[in-house]
Amino acid sequence: MSNQSEIHCINPDCLRPYPQPWGNKFCNCCGAPLRLIDRYIPTARLGSGGFAQIYTVWDQKTQTEKVLKVLIEDSPKAQELFAQEAVVLSSLRHPGVPRVESDGYFQRIWSHSQGQQILPCLVMEKINGLTLEDILYQHYPQGCPQEVVLNWLTQAVEILQHLHQRHIIHRDIKPSNLMLRTSPKSSPYQGKEWRGQLVLIDFGGAKQFDKAVVRSLSRSTKLFSSGYSPPEQLIGGNIGPTADFYALGRTMIELLTGKHPADLEDPVTEQLNWRRHVQVNPQLADLLDDMMQEDARSRPANAKIIQRRLAQIHKAVPNKIRPIRSITQIVTFFWAFFWELGRTIQKAVTNLTQTIRKIIALTLRAIAQVLRACLDTIWTMILTCIGTCIGTFIGYVLAFHTSWGLETGKFLSSQLAVLLGNTQPVLGSEMLLFAGAGWGTAWGLVAAGGYRQRRRFLVASLMGMAGYGFGWFILQLMTPKQGSEGLIAFILAAVSLLTLGLGLRSHHIVYAVMAAFGTALPFAFLMSIGQQPSTVFDNFFSLTNSWQGLLWKIAFFSAIGVFISFWLGVSHYLIVPGLRFLGWRQ
């Protein structure tokens, strides 16, 4: 099984590509599909190379980890080179070349509001190990031992022979494009030798060649790496297999000397003055110089010629360099040890500094978000309280101090008396009071503009009046209506309907449930411990047509409005983001 628990979005325009919860099919941030052809799951970004971004992916079919290259450059030439790399790698079967299956090249197509996005993808075998550049600068800053370099040269020539027999040239050989494949559970350095299969990577510049074309004067795409590519490649001329031999020779000299080829070039002749920097077998030195001849016709014509010369060098190297080898290895060992120690300490300090900096930034960002949430919620609570007071006052005046309100109250009283069977007195004017309180509460919530609302004053006001009016009707059905059950029933009905009328952008049911039950919770808690809010509720109904009763009603409805604002804030800043993180999107 994969040990990964999070997914990485490969959309180059995604603002927060990582982390995505394991099991998600779509990105929580940009909505892009996360699984590729229903088989590959990107788990981490390794970096970028050329025009592509590189990721590790989990192959659900083979239950193995692989490498994914995603082309993010849309130029025709970049797409041509990317497709060319896919064709070359899928046709090769050699331990020194990353394996690509026949269906490893595909395009991820995603349609969205801004159009259609097409990302060419290439999945290949993941090579565990270090590049020769890493081994050089981490372990041998003064140059690698001759025996080690000779072994790598032999393997590299064997890989090139496999490529050239299939009329493929790599065109970008350098230490960073040669890896030493090792087992993830074992060290590549055993005893005095570096063990492992050499692997040639990054076939983005590889191309097919024809022997007849190589001899002609036709030109090829100008693609080169400074310090390694031959002259004919630098000027964009036609190149053949000997271009790979030139780059490989310069790569081996860098490994032997620990110096970049550009630092060894004579500024006048542009030849490498490298022999005085290291003691090697003369036959090996001659071979490397022949591979780096400026004229391509003076270099070895094919890999078999180089292999024959390497066979002779292998016989001579152990006897001729053994006395020098011991001293060189001792000096190199201590130099590499202290150099690596200093490098490790430097990395540790840098990582610690970066970690502290990130922690401080995250802490400050979290504090800022908490303060913003608190201020937003407090502002909403204040405006809701003001709106509730105004709405309750208007409703009270309409209900008990206008002829229209009194007539409406009588009509509602007579109709409800018939409906309820005259089992209890009904004061219909109270419904206007409740509707006014609902309108004021909804107006205050919308006027505050918090919680990313769509500010819909009319809809929210109508739902507020309907919710509080419906809650009043439920109260009339309760016996007695001043009881605790009536209070809870009114809150649940009124608050849930009011909340559904607000212009919240998503998760409407979650907001309604949280606001309704959260508002009822304080009253239910007081009842559970035997401290029923009877004084407020009794005065609410007993002091009906008086200004003293109005104050009790304002206090009651204002408390409900404050609780609604608080629980909407809790839902918006805590509950809904948590649900989105778990994959519940609306």
Side-chain angles (χ1 to χ4, degrees), residues 1-4 6-10 22 34-37 39-46 53-70 104 106 121-127:
M1 291 293 294
S2 170
N3 59 358
Q4 301 292 338
E6 292 168 328
I7 307 177
H8 201 298
C9 176
I10 66 170
W22 188 264
L34 294 176
R35 300 191 178 191
L36 308 177
I37 60 174
R39 174 176 176 179
Y40 302 108
I41 303 176
T43 55
R45 181 178 173 181
L46 294 178
Q53 291 182 346
I54 304 173
Y55 303 84
T56 56
V57 294
W58 179 253
D59 187 348
Q60 292 185 305
K61 180 179 179 180
T62 62
Q63 294 293 295
T64 57
E65 199 173 45
K66 294 183 178 180
V67 171
L68 166 71
K69 291 183 69 173
V70 180
F106 55 90
C121 299
L122 177 61
V123 177
M124 65 184 70
E125 172 191 12
K126 182 181 181 182
I127 309 299

Side-chain angles (χ1 to χ4, degrees), residues 81-92:
L81 292 175
F82 194 82
Q84 183 175 277
E85 179 180 12
V87 172
V88 169
L89 286 175
S90 61
S91 67
L92 297 175

